[in-house]
Amino acid sequence: MGRSSVVSPIGNSGGGGDDSSMEYGLVTRGPVGAYKMRWSGGALACMVNAEVSSVLAVMRRNARWAGRYMAGDDQLEHPLIRSLKGLRRRVFGWQREAQWQSINPALYLVPFLDVIRSDETGAQITGVALAAVYKILTLEVFDINTAHVDVAMHSIVDAVTSCRFEVTDPASEEFVLMKILQVLLACMKSVAGALLSNRDVCTVVNTCFRVVHQAGSKGELLQRTARHTMHELVRAIFSHLSSLKLDDNVTGNGSSRMSEPEGNETATEKGIPISGYTAGEGLTAKRPPQPVTRDGNSEKEGTADYKGAMTTDQPIAIEPYGVPCMVDIFNFLCSLLNVGDPLGPGQSFLASDEDVPHFALMLINSSIELGGESFGRHPKLLALVQDELFRNLMQMGLSENPLVLSLVCGIVLNLYHNLRESIKLQLEAFFSFVVIRLAQGRSGASYQQQEVAMEALVDFCRQSTFMPEMYANFDCDITLSNTFEDLGNLLTKSAFPVNCPLSAMHVLALEGLLAVIHSMANRVDSAAPGVLPGTPLGVMVAENQEYVPFWTLKCENYKDPLCWVEFVQHQKYIKRRLMIGADHFNRDPKKGLEFLQGIRLLPEKLDPQSVACFFRYTTGLDKNLLGDFLGDPDDFCLHVLEEFARTFDFSEMGIDAALRVFLESFRLPGEAQKISRVLEAFAERYYQQSRGILASKDTVYILSYAVIMLNTDQHNPQVRKKMTEDDFIKNLRNINNGQDLPRVMLSDLYHAIVRNEIRISYDNGIGVAEMTHSRWVDLMRRSRSTTPYITCDSRVLLDHDMFAIISGPSIAAISVVFDHAEDEEVLRACIDGFLAVAKISAVHRLEDVLDDLVVSLCKFTTLLNPTASAEEPVVAFGDDTKARMAAVTVFSIANKFGDFIRTGWRNILDCILRLHKLGLLPARVASDATEDADN
């Protein structure tokens, strides 16, 4: 099957048939791997007849089928044998090819499918019948235009997923399981596979996953085949996504609403839900499902059952599968990332080193690779990517397994390419909480984790638009982190060898830094002559600008670069001044507010709303000071607290989730009266937006206070006697205007706090400790109203401002690596980096940067170093490869960009004079210089 065109014997399934009915024909591979050829009606009849012979031959080997029925029996032959012989009698009546297209495929499929379903047949017989169906599928005896082909495809899936057979030995069982996988994959890859229903597709995936599940205790070949089949199934299903229409959200069985697992059950415990029902008997990641015998008992009687949930009743028309099954399958795969230790110590869910999350990550990556941008056109799939998938990726990204981390980073890179306009805040969180954290070696990250995180960052840096988009979307947004600046600092610092020799990690970081610089240089080359960005950020002057509430500024058109470039530059200008104001506030709140008034970021006469918005939207504020300010009894502070609470949107949020989000923005003060004032403001805002049974804001206040006390009671190790559920509910009697709140509501609230502590990381803007539940809830709510993701192209738009930020550290990092490196390839990379820096500096008129570069390179020439004798410098210069490379680079820069060099000319001339003194200048250059001096 691996060859594109072979001459193969047609008519023998390889399952024990008679070679006498063999016919030869030219066979080729179709677009999905199936065999493809033109058949005559007679050839098709011979092929089906040969398969019937194969099955009957194997059945006759068994004593049960070889004997004859007694004369008194109503039937002389078993129904299975009679059905197969009946097919043999009919098949030669279909001699014309057109007849095969018009007849119902069930007429020649049902005899084989009955053998597969029967619990009286052994593994060998079942395997031959499966091989016959596989051959019919792969040779495309019927296609999408054949009559009743949709019913036939459903019948195949139903029969194979309901396969029952007697288990005589492990080898025969594995043989049948492999045949099952083979047929199911052929169903999905065949041309007629597009007509399968959503239910059928979920049944196929469920059955395959169950085989993967059970393969852990069986042979290595079955394990690898099962995993490979699962991958191919996912690829086949999601490659179909791009051809679906946007409104393909409803199946013939009803709406596409997903059935969520109840309680703490995961999808592996419930199976794949589809349109309100569950396909398959349910999968469990903790214990392999036990095979069921024909009378419903366990495998003791020797009959294995891999039965799906499909019934034999089949509607006349079946709607082809589409988005609903893909939503449920993708949700199922995402839920697998929550599985911890599947079986316990010493046991493995999958073979080798693949655990459940790792296997799920590979399947998810395949689905995204095949689905691509089409995920963004279907809201339910996109919602899963934005929330379920990314939340799990944030957790899996901190795995100690470098292979898992590598897969996570690969998935995010795919998502960046295909869906970055829809995952703006998720990308910022991933780089802040995973990539930067691990690459810096924080929180006990191992060297392997650092290396994988750095490799992932370098891969992102190789995307020419990545850094400009990070700068435009995050660094120029007053509410978000400086992702571009953080990543640039990470690369430059990681490239510095500090008290150690140059290592692979240093070179890797340098590679990422050079990728960013070369991207900027390439954009300079591709820019039209004289076409450069408008007013650089450093030239922007707004001293005479009147006060405008900075949180209300909006861009009129994010599609027009002329509009959004100016807007983001102004936002960056405001953000820098806000950061300065935050620093002043952290040292002295009163003077900090006065400073902000002086630079017109707050009005001359302070009002509570402007101060509240400064607190809400400015990063880097000391959350301890913020909590004390908001809890202060002063009238102005109380009004600020009210306005601060109004900036939150608690609609459609539970009270515990709302509290998590609210308390994430500041540290709750320790004084009881301040806590009370803060919770009163929260209660009023939550009551305004809540819909339900809460009768008043007093009810919300009491309930909020009780939640905080419960959180302390359950998660403080000093509290030995923990509050029970009954105690918690008893303490909240009659708080709802004299009535009790529903017990179910209070019970859910109690268990939510017990399972998930209200645990908040107060970093005061200095790095991020971890992604807490409250932060994720807040991120998802903010993602609904955040500004659009700005996409960049090859135009020079923000490179001046970006390069002004990273130029100094970049020159220093490249210089240090150049100084420590001995490898010629690394030295050449550094020289190319120096030349790219010079080009960017000259084009963007950054004379100071160019001068610094020239001074740094002149030091490497060793020509300016004083020596004792005249011969030693000549010998040293000739033997020093770095010195000669630096000298050539300096003079190349002087020739190309001399008009933009200022103070650096002094160093260049000193080098020239030194070369002249040492007699190393060419005679023509020396004579020209002498003549110019005389003149």
Side-chain angles (χ1 to χ4, degrees), residues 916 923-935:
H916 177 61
R924 183 177 59 81
V925 175
S927 61
D928 289 345
T930 304
E931 292 176 2
D932 291 341
D934 294 339
N935 293 333

Side-chain angles (χ1 to χ4, degrees), residues 2 94 244 563 640 711 783 808 856:
W94 308 321
L244 298 178
C563 182
V640 171
N711 187 73
S783 66
S856 179

Side-chain angles (χ1 to χ4, degrees), residues 8-176:
S8 303
I10 307 300
N12 184 8
S13 69
D18 186 359
D19 292 345
S20 62
S21 60
M22 201 177 293
E23 180 180 335
Y24 287 84
L26 182 64
V27 183
T28 59
R29 296 290 293 273
V32 293
Y35 291 105
K36 185 74 174 179
M37 72 174 296
R38 293 191 61 83
W39 293 86
S40 66
L44 288 173
C46 289
M47 186 273 290
V48 174
N49 180 67
E51 297 305 316
V52 173
S53 298
S54 299
V55 178
L56 288 174
V58 177
M59 292 180 75
R60 291 187 180 111
R61 294 176 186 173
N62 192 305
R64 176 189 297 179
W65 308 98
R68 297 180 180 180
Y69 276 39
M70 300 300 293
D73 291 342
D74 295 334
Q75 298 176 349
L76 296 178
E77 291 181 316
H78 192 281
L80 294 179
I81 294 180
R82 189 175 66 253
S83 176
L84 289 166
K85 288 184 177 180
L87 173 59
R88 173 179 282 176
R89 286 192 296 269
R90 292 193 305 270
V91 72
F92 285 105
W94 308 321
Q95 292 292 331
R96 296 192 306 273
E97 183 180 358
Q99 286 182 286
W100 287 86
Q101 291 295 315
S102 61
I103 64 174
N104 189 340
L107 293 178
Y108 51 83
L109 283 172
V110 165
F112 299 110
L113 300 181
D114 287 343
V115 173
I116 295 171
R117 283 195 183 97
S118 176
D119 54 9
E120 298 181 63
T121 55
Q124 189 176 14
I125 299 172
T126 304
V128 176
L130 286 165
V133 175
Y134 174 74
K135 188 172 187 178
I136 293 172
L137 283 169
T138 54
L139 296 181
E140 296 186 5
V141 175
F142 55 85
D143 58 27
I144 200 168
N145 298 315
T146 304
H148 307 294
V149 65
D150 53 347
V151 178
M153 292 299 295
H154 164 76
S155 300
I156 295 174
V157 170
D158 181 39
V160 174
T161 56
S162 303
C163 177
R164 300 168 69 91
F165 59 93
E166 292 181 349
V167 177
T168 56
D169 60 275
S172 62
E173 181 185 7
E174 292 185 20
F175 166 74
V176 175

Side-chain angles (χ1 to χ4, degrees), residues 8 92 105 140 204 232 237 260 565 573 697 783 828 832:
S8 303
F92 285 105
E140 296 186 5
V204 168
E232 291 299 312
I237 293 168
E260 296 291 343
V565 167
Y573 174 72
K697 65 179 183 180
S783 66
R828 176 49 55 189
D832 292 341

Side-chain angles (χ1 to χ4, degrees), residues 885-913:
M885 293 176 71
V888 171
T889 306
V890 166
F891 296 136
S892 297
I893 292 174
N895 281 319
K896 292 180 181 179
F897 312 113
D899 292 342
F900 306 99
I901 300 175
R902 297 293 180 262
T903 59
W905 274 115
R906 177 186 298 274
N907 299 78
I908 295 174
L909 291 175
D910 286 343
C911 289
I912 294 174
L913 292 174

Side-chain angles (χ1 to χ4, degrees), residues 291-358:
V292 179
T293 61
R294 50 188 165 224
D295 60 359
N297 297 323
S298 65
E299 195 179 338
K300 294 178 181 178
E301 296 186 14
T303 300
D305 176 20
Y306 300 94
K307 184 178 179 181
M310 297 297 299
T311 62
T312 56
D313 297 333
Q314 179 61 44
I316 295 177
I318 301 175
E319 184 172 351
Y321 76 91
V323 174
C325 73
M326 297 185 195
V327 169
D328 291 323
I329 292 170
F330 196 77
N331 185 31
F332 173 71
L333 296 178
C334 291
S335 67
L336 291 178
L337 299 179
N338 290 319
V339 179
D341 184 11
L343 296 173
Q347 293 179 292
S348 176
F349 175 81
L350 301 175
S352 290
D353 56 348
E354 295 183 357
D355 57 4
V356 178
H358 176 212

